[in-house]
Amino acid sequence: MLIASTLLTAGACTSTKPAAGQRGYTEAGKASYYSNKLHGRKMANGETYNRRKLTAAHRTLPFGTKVKVTNLQTKKSVKVSITDRGPFVKGRVIDLSEAAAKRLDYISAGIVPVEVKVVKPAPVR
């Protein structure tokens, strides 16, 4: 009986989804990208926004979290670091830098469906 109970408990642990910010955490929604007029302004983490760097804004993921963003239409992916807060538009899950949006090939579209997956949690401070 003890062995069966242990096996059931172990099986239950493997089926849980990773918590937000942990490696493997995934969410889907729409991505937009930063306007060029924000280039040079401070982000929520205190750094200056550079449209040529691979960065992104997310509402809740900790600063420094590395995520892989996949354009669900083209299957192109890019890895970015979370450096800012946003987007604050319903249905959007991430705002990308111009460089990241170019890698995902959606500059002309402006908004695309994406999957966001944590590949490296933020460093512990």
Side-chain angles (χ1 to χ4, degrees):
M1 189 65 159
L2 181 61
I3 294 172
S5 175
T6 303
L7 289 174
L8 285 174
T9 304
C13 292
T14 60
S15 65
T16 60
K17 294 181 180 180
Q22 296 301 309
R23 184 182 178 115
Y25 172 78
T26 304
E27 65 181 304
K30 293 183 180 175
S32 51
Y33 68 94
Y34 284 101
S35 161
N36 286 341
K37 69 181 178 182
L38 297 176
H39 182 73
R41 292 192 184 180
K42 280 205 179 204
M43 295 180 286
N45 72 349
E47 294 176 15
T48 302
Y49 171 64
N50 183 336
R51 65 190 185 129
R52 294 175 197 91
K53 289 190 175 184
L54 298 174
T55 61
H58 190 276
R59 283 192 283 289
T60 59
L61 292 176
F63 296 138
T65 302
K66 305 282 187 199
V67 297
K68 178 181 174 184
V69 182
T70 303
N71 179 334
L72 296 176
Q73 294 174 335
T74 65
K75 304 302 181 209
K76 291 183 179 184
S77 297
V78 65
K79 290 180 184 174
V80 297
S81 180
I82 303 299
T83 57
D84 203 6
R85 291 291 170 232
F88 300 107
V89 176
K90 187 177 179 180
R92 295 189 196 170
V93 295
I94 198 162
D95 270 339
L96 298 172
S97 65
E98 182 181 349
K102 282 183 178 179
R103 294 235 183 138
L104 293 182
D105 197 25
Y106 79 94
I107 292 291
S108 61
I111 300 171
V112 292
V114 295
E115 177 185 81
V116 177
K117 183 174 186 175
V118 173
V119 293
K120 185 177 179 185
V124 177
R125 296 177 190 229

